[in-house]
Amino acid sequence: MDFDFSPAEQAFADEVDAWLVENHDPVVMDHHRENFTQLSDTPERRAFMKKLAAKGWLGMSWPKEYGGKEIEGVYEYILNEALSKHAAPQIGKGVGIIGKTLIRHGSDKLKQEFLPKVLDADVEFAVGYSEPAAGSDAANMQLKAEKVEGGYLLNGQKMWTTSAHFADWYWVGARTDPDKPRHDGLSLFLIPMDHPGLEVQSLPTIGKDTTNQVFFENVFVPDEYLVGKRGRGFHMISEALDLERFTMFTLSPIANRTEVLVDWVKKAKRDDAPLKDDPNVRRTIAQIVTDTAVAKGLSTRFVCAAKSGGKPPTIESSQYKLFTTSLSQRVCKDALDIQGHEGTLMEGQEDAPILGRFEGAYRATMNETVGGGSSEIQKNIIARRHLGLPKNF
Amino acid sequence: MDLDLTEEQQMVIDMTRGMLAEHSTTAIVRDMEDDPKGYPEALWKQMSELGLNGLLIPEAYGGGGQTLLEGAFVYEELGRAMAPTPHFVSCVMSAGVLLEAGSEDQKQAWLGSEDQKQAWLGRIANGDAILTPAWLEPQRGFGEAGIAISATADGYGFKLNCRKRLVAYASSAARLIVLARTKAGVDLFLVDPRAKGIQMQQLLSQGREAQYQIDFADVKVAAADRIGAPGSGWKTWHKVMLQGVTLLAAQAIGGAARCLEETVVYANQRVQFDKPLGAFQALAHYMADASTRIDGGRVLVHEAAWNHAQGRSIERFGPMAKLFCCETYRETTRVCAQIWGGVAFTIEYDQQMFFRRAKALQLSWWDGPYLEELIAKDVLDK
Ligand SMILES: Cc1cc2nc3c(=O)[nH]c(=O)nc-3n(C[C@H](O)[C@H](O)[C@H](O)COP(=O)(O)OP(=O)(O)OC[C@H]3O[C@@H](n4cnc5c(N)ncnc54)[C@H](O)[C@@H]3O)c2cc1C
């Protein structure tokens, strides 16, 4: 048993951290964007990702023949935790889901077209799985992909495509075979985001950022841009989730909020007395710090399970996400309770505590227990696969 | 970073679990409830023979010299089996006090402490002697201010007058380790429970272990029976408690894990509305939550114990582990009782044994508010 990084891992963590301090840029690294900091959605952020690419930090775990370094996934975990700790954009969809799926299932053409661009941070993707009728039940996608001469014609709608308003390419699941059992009738496509048949409509959220709905009208996709085999879409989507355990929901932003809150409590006063002497505040802080340590333990658990190879750490990931996302919301709630009436002041207002950080984070974290597999879905997974309870829901 | 166990660690776990399956069945555990002695001789003998009683005692004193991490593995098993043993009071707390006293500053240390170690540690390790701390006082808490009773100077020694509560396994003790206040501060004294002026009375409590209220009336204690330098008692006690609560956190995880496992089996068998209970999502989600807390709590315990084994401070980790794991045990037994339905309320079913022990453990050896304050102090006041 060893709770420390190996010397090599620690050296890498230190190197990344030092580099991020050196390259600190408040325009790129904005804690107030909370979970949306992971997106590379502005020219400054894209330039930042280019610098990261130049360091050779994109696609480190990929096979050498595709430009990777074949090093352990734990290094990508270390990198993403460091990036999110500094509120910098993260390596995500391109290196993870899309890159890894193309490496395993993509044609030579698609590999040649996209993999180098991912490594050089020259492409941003949007992921389109969710639809009005396909949320938690992703296999229920209805977007129609009809086989036509030389390709497919797509018609229908996607919901919640977060990066659609700035991405270059769209990674889309659609139903090619409506007559087959529903898990076997889906296929994956790559579509240029500026395709004239796509209409992106912004869907503003109560966080600082927007997501989108996307409408498809006779979007023609040539055969070469079908990813892998027709009908294998859902299986590739599931496999990608299993392959991509190291760069999932990061802990650092939550640990960071806990730290920021503690630092603030240490200095704050109420009615001229130190706030930290309030027994309720002390109790709340003790609980938050303890639960944050447990979240770290659960993250150590899935990282270790993922490191050991073998079967994907599905249970460990589900437990981690379930516990950590609800903790994330609780930290924000408790922070506002501690701040009292001033906690309601928004960023930019005079005397907003911690520059309004928690007023914003309280809103921004609302979706964490829903997106990326809701808490209930995680509990279903744990109940069935870990505890062996009947498959009934 | 890895959470793998070594072969030896796995062996310790398997061996302990195997032994407890025979010597700490729920029938035996039930038999021991409210028993004045409170532990089965056969179990105690087995624990000694397998080296569990000496596990954490250095080899130089006849123990196994293992770290707190091995201790945590064993305590999870003891918790699973609800094993009724004086191991914690004797082999962890009392042995810990003897070992820790004077270890920081040898020059200051009272010269006799090596003799005390020689006299008792070997016998604790082989199970011959049971020692137990006499700590808590009526209407007083877990902190240093909780030690109100005074040991007044009396010739070459001291005279004790006080009442102590929740002294576990006192009826079998060869010595009590009494926390008392002298002019120098809090001191620890080795006291023979058969000494003149001592009266014991068993009090029944939620965990139903053998525990006693002890009255001391003008009990004479020799100066040589003070453990460690004058006034160093609280520091010693606190340090040993940090280790103790880490092990109790492991014990809590063991109890919670077994309680949940048995509940899952039941939920797969019991049918209502033509479905096994586990097919009701409301119940399945309780169990998923409990399993998440149990698995998270276990890593926290291991991290605490591992840090101690690395020579790092567990001033924060130890209390965090007990706080989280005891609440997890309590909450797990609450939802499990809900899942079992009415039968959980009967004495016949074993669920009630976990249910009571979980709450009793949470309230003993530093309760929630005391732990929270320790953590807050470490986080906010440094
Ligand atoms: C800001 C934001 C960004 C997003 N970004 C993307 C993106 O880029 N790409 C993308 O494809 N998707 C994205 N999503 C979609 C996200 O993955 C879905 O919101 C999520 O899968 C849940 O689906 P839903 O919102 O339709 O809720 P529903 O599935 O309708 O769920 C509603 C409630 O029912 C519960 N529920 C559902 N099924 C069960 C069950 N079997 N058992 C018990 N309870 C159940 C859920 O837990 C939830 O509480 C995003 C969502 C948001 C809000």
Side-chain angles (χ1 to χ4, degrees):
Chain A
M1 206 169 273
D2 189 347
F3 284 85
D4 288 341
F5 285 133
S6 72
E9 290 161 355
Q10 189 58 53
F12 180 66
D14 294 343
E15 184 191 348
V16 174
D17 204 63
W19 187 84
L20 285 167
V21 170
E22 217 173 281
N23 287 274
H24 178 78
D25 176 353
V27 177
V28 173
M29 304 172 186
D30 177 6
H31 277 292
H32 288 260
R33 284 188 68 188
E34 304 300 346
N35 27 5
F36 284 94
T37 58
Q38 63 184 285
L39 303 178
S40 178
D41 56 352
T42 61
E44 294 85 358
R45 296 180 143 244
R46 287 188 81 142
F48 173 85
M49 287 312 276
K50 290 288 289 179
K51 283 204 270 181
L52 212 62
K55 291 293 288 180
W57 288 343
L58 298 185
M60 293 183 291
S61 66
W62 287 10
K64 289 199 173 119
E65 59 171 312
Y66 300 113
K69 298 190 177 135
E70 289 180 24
I71 67 170
E72 280 183 275
V74 69
Y75 286 89
E76 290 180 339
Y77 159 82
I78 292 169
L79 177 64
N80 247 9
E81 285 293 345
L83 291 169
S84 62
K85 182 178 142 204
H86 289 264
Q90 294 167 40
I91 63 164
K93 303 181 274 247
V95 172
I97 299 175
I98 294 161
K100 288 187 178 165
T101 303
L102 286 178
I103 286 169
R104 285 171 85 99
H105 304 287
S107 63
D108 286 344
K109 175 186 159 41
L110 292 182
K111 284 180 194 165
Q112 278 156 19
E113 180 170 353
F114 289 100
L115 297 181
K117 281 195 202 163
V118 170
L119 291 179
D120 291 340
D122 277 335
V123 59
E124 285 298 324
F125 295 96
V127 170
Y129 299 151
S130 301
E131 295 178 11
S136 302
D137 189 8
N140 197 39
M141 286 180 226
Q142 302 296 333
L143 179 73
K144 208 163 80 183
E146 202 185 336
K147 185 71 189 102
V148 292
E149 176 73 34
Y152 293 82
L153 205 56
L154 275 59
N155 278 289
Q157 184 194 347
K158 289 283 166 189
M159 278 292 281
W160 316 116
T161 305
T162 296
S163 307
H165 58 296
F166 64 84
D168 310 303
W169 283 86
Y170 202 4
W171 177 262
V172 169
R175 193 158 296 279
T176 42
D177 300 86
D179 302 332
K180 291 212 173 134
R182 60 186 210 140
H183 290 90
D184 298 323
L186 295 170
S187 302
L188 277 172
F189 296 94
L190 273 161
I191 308 171
M193 207 69 241
D194 59 5
H195 194 293
L198 291 175
E199 188 199 330
V200 177
Q201 271 184 19
S202 170
L203 204 56
T205 71
I206 64 163
K208 266 192 136 180
D209 289 83
T210 181
T211 180
N212 307 283
Q213 30 189 350
V214 181
F215 298 89
F216 291 63
E217 199 186 328
N218 292 329
V219 174
F220 176 75
V221 184
D223 282 328
E224 307 89 89
Y225 289 89
L226 167 77
V227 178
K229 287 211 180 74
R230 175 171 165 174
R232 296 298 297 165
F234 190 77
H235 304 279
M236 286 188 280
I237 291 171
S238 312
E239 183 196 75
L241 287 179
D242 282 343
L243 289 174
E244 207 31 50
R245 291 306 189 183
F246 285 108
T247 56
M248 60 181 292
F249 192 81
T250 53
L251 179 67
S252 297
I254 297 157
N256 171 268
R257 282 183 216 118
T258 299
E259 263 172 49
V260 166
L261 177 64
V262 165
D263 287 344
W264 181 80
V265 165
K266 278 179 167 177
K267 292 179 217 130
K269 293 204 163 172
R270 177 158 305 145
D271 301 335
D272 307 318
L275 194 55
K276 79 179 180 70
D277 292 344
D278 179 329
N280 287 324
V281 171
R282 296 178 76 75
R283 178 159 201 218
T284 302
I285 293 291
Q287 289 171 349
I288 288 177
V289 167
T290 300
D291 287 357
T292 304
V294 174
K296 160 119 189 313
L298 286 167
S299 115
T300 302
R301 198 161 166 271
F302 91 72
V303 170
C304 289
K307 265 176 82 162
S308 72
K311 66 177 176 64
T314 309
I315 310 300
E316 290 85 351
S317 305
S318 287
Q319 290 181 327
Y320 166 70
K321 185 177 187 272
L322 172 65
F323 187 86
T324 306
T325 51
S326 81
L327 167 65
S328 175
Q329 294 176 347
R330 203 158 65 244
V331 172
C332 296
K333 173 193 92 61
D334 288 342
L336 291 186
D337 284 338
I338 289 173
Q339 294 175 344
H341 60 84
E342 285 174 318
T344 61
L345 293 176
M346 292 177 80
E347 186 184 359
Q349 306 305 298
E350 195 182 338
D351 286 344
I354 324 180
L355 303 171
R357 175 84 191 270
F358 282 100
E359 188 285 318
Y362 182 76
R363 290 179 278 119
T365 53
M366 183 234 254
N367 184 48
E368 287 179 2
T369 49
V370 173
S374 72
S375 294
E376 290 71 26
I377 297 300
Q378 307 304 337
K379 289 187 208 184
N380 290 349
I381 293 170
I382 297 163
R384 281 184 211 142
R385 299 214 216 166
H386 186 37
L387 300 177
L389 291 165
K391 195 171 172 165
N392 197 49
F393 34 77
Chain B
M1 218 159 51
D2 78 81
L3 297 178
D4 301 337
L5 305 181
T6 63
E7 246 172 66
E8 289 82 29
Q9 289 168 339
Q10 191 57 54
M11 262 170 55
V12 171
I13 293 170
D14 294 344
M15 171 191 86
T16 308
R17 187 176 294 196
M19 180 274 292
L20 291 169
E22 191 182 336
H23 293 283
S24 183
T25 60
T26 48
I28 292 173
V29 176
R30 279 168 182 273
D31 254 8
M32 286 299 121
E33 292 204 335
D34 299 343
D35 181 79
K37 184 171 163 200
Y39 67 95
E41 211 48 66
L43 169 63
W44 191 239
K45 200 162 156 263
Q46 280 296 312
M47 290 183 67
S48 296
E49 279 173 12
L50 294 179
L52 296 180
N53 290 342
L55 190 78
L56 300 173
I57 294 172
E59 287 175 52
Y61 296 106
Q66 298 294 300
T67 73
L68 204 59
L69 191 54
E70 282 75 25
F73 298 142
V74 168
Y75 264 76
E76 181 167 346
E77 296 309 316
L78 294 175
R80 284 183 68 88
M82 297 184 274
T85 93
H87 190 279
F88 184 72
V89 288
S90 189
C91 311
V92 176
M93 291 308 298
S94 299
V97 161
L98 291 168
L99 282 163
E100 203 63 60
S103 65
E104 282 208 340
D105 185 349
Q106 285 297 334
K107 269 179 267 160
Q108 265 270 308
W110 183 73
L111 289 170
S113 62
E114 188 53 40
D115 288 347
Q116 290 166 347
K117 285 179 199 162
Q118 294 292 349
W120 294 109
L121 289 175
R123 296 179 62 201
I124 293 173
N126 67 24
D128 279 355
I130 289 167
L131 273 66
T132 185
W135 169 25
L136 298 169
E137 299 176 21
Q139 278 124 57
R140 307 199 73 86
F142 291 103
E144 191 168 2
I147 310 298
I149 75 145
S150 60
T152 43
D154 175 46
Y156 289 111
F158 296 91
K159 218 166 56 185
L160 289 172
N161 276 293
C162 64
R163 168 170 279 184
K164 289 284 185 184
R165 284 259 167 87
L166 292 160
V167 186
Y169 302 99
S171 54
S172 308
R175 286 291 181 276
L176 308 170
I177 293 183
V178 182
L179 286 85
R181 206 167 268 286
T182 62
K183 272 195 189 133
V186 172
D187 276 320
L188 300 154
F189 294 101
L190 281 163
V191 179
D192 186 340
R194 282 156 297 267
K196 207 170 141 243
I198 290 185
Q199 272 206 331
M200 279 190 208
Q201 184 195 346
Q202 186 176 3
L203 295 185
L204 303 186
S205 65
Q206 198 167 33
R208 309 297 270 277
E209 62 176 359
Q211 53 91 8
Y212 290 79
Q213 169 172 289
I214 305 185
D215 286 312
F216 298 79
D218 286 337
V219 176
K220 286 189 187 224
V221 184
D225 286 330
R226 169 157 45 194
I227 307 169
S232 67
W234 188 255
K235 215 170 146 195
T236 302
W237 181 250
H238 180 81
K239 268 186 101 168
V240 179
M241 275 298 290
L242 290 172
Q243 299 164 47
V245 293
T246 304
L247 297 179
L248 294 182
Q251 181 177 323
I253 288 300
R258 167 134 171 244
C259 181
L260 179 63
E261 279 164 29
E262 292 187 358
T263 303
V264 167
V265 170
Y266 183 72
N268 274 322
Q269 285 166 357
R270 162 95 177 153
V271 172
Q272 286 290 282
F273 298 99
D274 299 324
K275 284 190 215 168
L277 296 181
F280 295 106
Q281 197 177 42
L283 301 188
H285 282 192
Y286 287 152
M287 292 183 258
D289 270 328
S291 99
T292 301
R293 284 189 64 104
I294 290 167
D295 289 334
R298 184 181 289 117
V299 186
L300 186 62
V301 172
H302 290 167
E303 193 165 1
W306 179 82
N307 269 294
H308 185 267
Q310 300 297 306
R312 301 180 193 170
S313 161
I314 54 167
E315 196 70 46
R316 191 185 302 184
F317 262 120
M320 288 198 304
K322 182 164 193 281
L323 179 69
F324 187 85
C325 296
C326 279
E327 175 56 18
T328 295
Y329 191 10
R330 190 205 60 74
E331 177 62 9
T332 300
T333 61
R334 183 190 71 78
V335 296
C336 287
Q338 185 68 20
I339 292 163
W340 284 77
V343 294
F345 197 44
T346 65
I347 291 179
E348 183 191 342
Y349 279 69
D350 291 343
Q351 281 307 304
Q352 49 89 6
M353 301 209 291
F354 294 103
F355 183 78
R356 288 184 286 106
R357 278 174 176 73
K359 189 63 196 169
L361 187 60
Q362 186 176 38
L363 295 177
S364 312
W365 305 100
W366 292 351
D367 61 4
Y370 190 77
L371 292 162
E372 283 163 356
E373 179 49 30
L374 287 177
I375 298 161
K377 218 178 261 160
D378 195 64
V379 174
L380 294 172
D381 301 344
K382 282 198 170 151

